[in-house]
Amino acid sequence: MALALIMCLGILAGCGGSEDPAPTDPAPTPADPAPTDPAPAPTPAPAGEIVEITLAYWANAAEEANFQAMTAGIESVYPNIRVIHQIYPSSSEFWAAVPVALLGGSGPDIIGFSDEGNAEYMANGQLAPLESLFDMVGFDKAKFLPSLWNGWTYDGHIYGVPYDTSTSMISINKAMMDAAGLSGTPETMDDLLEWAKAMTNADTAGIGIWLMEFHLSQFVHAFGGGWGNGRTINTPENARGLQFVVDLFNTHNVATTPQEVGAAWDGEAFSRGDAAMSTGGPWYVGFLADAAPDLEFIAVPIPYGTRYAQSAYSHGFSITAQSNYPVEAMQAIDYMTRDEVQISAIDAVGYCPAVESLIPQYVDSMPLLRPIYDNLASNGVPFAYPVQTAEFNAELCAGMEQIVFDPGSGLTLEALLATLQEKYGA
């Protein structure tokens, strides 16, 4: 278990760095099994006892200031609670330390992390189910964007509370689009292919795709697929989505990876003009403002394959199963996700709120992203990676790289998905 937990080192703060859409009524994600019985209902600390709640997370300077704002003044609402911040400067340092602490019984009460890497923790008993705690502290679950809860739900129980909203999109270089005589936006995957062909030339690929799980999942979801926490790896829908990606590279020759052009990640390749389009997310706005301030681009939802299915994920707070004060930890989470801080985070760190009614304020501040968040509200789906997330992602990406860059190896998508289903299927 220790090795499995430490393997989560590969799960980053956001998928595009940390950084999905198809009929207007999207296909449902696979249902979780009937809920299992959670642990007995927790009890609060004795009246008058001062409780220290440890909160562990990674953060840059702006994010750290936001976390401090989240907990500032909590004593005025909960006089017996003191929040102790355990700050890690990077996700790698967080994942190197926190899993070991949890296994040793000295872990924090609350951890803040992304739902891209939470499946293993939800499944292995490291996190506490939250429903009874919601009821005990009067937590308003209904105010959060409904699709975000999917990413924090396993086996019928909720294991985390989202504090921001993130999603996916296609970025398009406006100058390259105009030069190719294109107008409007690519609405379908067929459109996306035609746009990529039109903008491909000797110096620029029509589209940049990093062959990593975040980007691959956009195409899987768009063609009606999904990972289903391991239940639906080997499906025709997943094969169709991945085949579309392979064909962009090997059949149509309109795609490149960041590594092929010497870039560290997809946003860098896009900022340099190595790709006319790129899969990514809202973090492109801030990055491009610094890296390529003169680059004009538009943002569109992931196009329709056989359904609209835009990725909906978040960073959130989970209570560890070993916390001695789960009730007070839940009270702290309730306080940290209050509307006041959700709003201040828009300017402080560029977070989109997780509270649904506040998302328009974020969109008003970034009108470029309005089509993305309008689409997310009705078409958001979770990543739902298998429980052995880090291992699955590594093998999926390595297999796709082999199929794209070494087609003579004999590895097929059918064989890759069958192997992944056998090894990581639920």
Side-chain angles (χ1 to χ4, degrees):
M1 182 179 291
L3 177 60
L5 287 170
I6 294 171
M7 285 290 287
C8 284
L9 174 61
I11 307 301
L12 300 179
C15 234
S18 106
E19 1 243 336
D20 306 15
T24 49
D25 182 16
T29 52
D32 281 316
T36 55
D37 291 332
T43 56
E49 178 179 338
I50 299 299
V51 172
E52 290 188 345
I53 299 297
T54 53
L55 167 64
Y57 54 88
W58 68 86
N60 59 34
E63 290 167 334
E64 165 57 12
N66 187 61
F67 278 113
Q68 294 291 345
M70 287 181 179
T71 61
I74 190 171
E75 296 91 344
S76 65
V77 178
Y78 300 108
N80 64 319
I81 294 178
R82 306 290 183 268
V83 177
I84 309 300
H85 291 244
Q86 292 182 352
I87 311 154
Y88 297 86
S90 69
S91 60
S92 59
E93 290 170 278
F94 175 93
W95 288 116
V98 172
V100 175
L102 290 172
L103 288 173
S106 59
D109 295 282
I110 301 171
I111 55 176
F113 66 134
S114 166
D115 66 16
E116 295 168 87
N118 65 4
E120 184 168 356
Y121 289 84
M122 294 191 295
N124 69 13
Q126 292 288 319
L127 305 180
L130 301 181
E131 295 93 323
S132 62
L133 291 168
F134 287 173
D135 293 339
M136 292 181 71
V137 307
F139 178 79
D140 184 8
K141 174 177 175 286
K143 73 178 185 177
F144 294 82
L145 185 69
S147 58
L148 297 181
W149 292 112
N150 295 329
W152 296 98
T153 301
Y154 184 84
D155 199 21
H157 293 296
I158 297 172
Y159 290 92
V161 173
Y163 65 77
D164 68 4
T165 298
S166 198
T167 188
S168 52
M169 69 189 194
I170 298 286
S171 296
I172 305 173
N173 185 307
K174 184 66 165 55
M176 293 180 182
M177 168 185 159
D178 292 342
L182 299 168
S183 60
T185 60
E187 302 292 333
T188 69
M189 284 295 175
D190 287 341
D191 293 341
L192 187 71
L193 171 59
E194 294 308 312
W195 278 52
K197 288 179 179 179
M199 290 188 285
T200 296
N201 56 49
D203 300 317
T204 303
I207 186 167
I209 302 175
W210 190 357
L211 296 177
M212 64 171 289
E213 63 278 359
F214 171 87
H215 303 274
L216 296 174
S217 293
Q218 310 311 320
F219 296 93
V220 163
H221 290 157
F223 283 95
W227 309 119
N229 291 130
R231 294 189 298 278
T232 58
I233 298 171
N234 187 16
T235 66
E237 294 81 6
N238 289 353
R240 186 173 180 183
L242 295 178
Q243 187 64 57
F244 184 86
V245 174
V246 172
D247 289 345
L248 288 173
F249 284 90
N250 293 351
T251 300
H252 306 294
N253 299 308
V254 296
T256 189
T257 66
Q259 293 75 20
E260 287 183 280
V261 295
W265 66 293
D266 49 280
E268 181 183 355
F270 183 74
S271 73
R272 300 187 327 197
D274 295 317
M277 298 187 290
S278 181
T279 54
W283 51 91
Y284 270 43
V285 176
F287 169 73
L288 292 172
D290 291 331
D294 295 329
L295 191 159
E296 184 181 359
F297 74 103
I298 64 172
V300 300
I302 303 297
Y304 180 99
T306 59
R307 67 167 181 170
Y308 291 113
Q310 187 167 314
S311 63
Y313 68 105
S314 62
H315 295 85
F317 295 121
S318 293
I319 299 173
T320 63
Q322 65 186 238
S323 172
N324 292 321
Y325 304 107
V327 176
E328 289 74 19
M330 189 65 239
Q331 289 173 325
I333 291 173
D334 186 35
Y335 183 80
M336 290 188 293
T337 54
R338 66 197 187 278
D339 288 4
E340 170 192 336
V341 177
Q342 289 272 294
I343 293 170
S344 67
I346 295 174
D347 291 329
V349 287
Y351 284 169
C352 177
V355 173
E356 186 171 19
S357 64
L358 303 179
I359 292 177
Q361 295 189 44
Y362 174 83
V363 174
D364 287 344
S365 71
M366 296 188 182
L368 171 73
L369 299 179
R370 185 176 301 280
I372 309 304
Y373 284 94
D374 286 350
N375 189 62
L376 175 65
S378 56
N379 298 308
V381 296
F383 286 109
Y385 294 123
V387 169
Q388 293 173 273
T389 301
E391 298 93 324
F392 167 80
N393 289 345
E395 195 160 340
L396 168 67
C397 298
M400 283 294 291
E401 288 177 353
Q402 183 176 340
I403 291 169
V404 168
F405 296 120
D406 187 14
S409 68
L411 180 63
T412 64
L413 284 173
E414 291 76 11
L416 174 62
L417 291 174
T419 298
L420 293 172
Q421 184 71 62
E422 181 179 357
K423 294 179 70 171
Y424 305 109

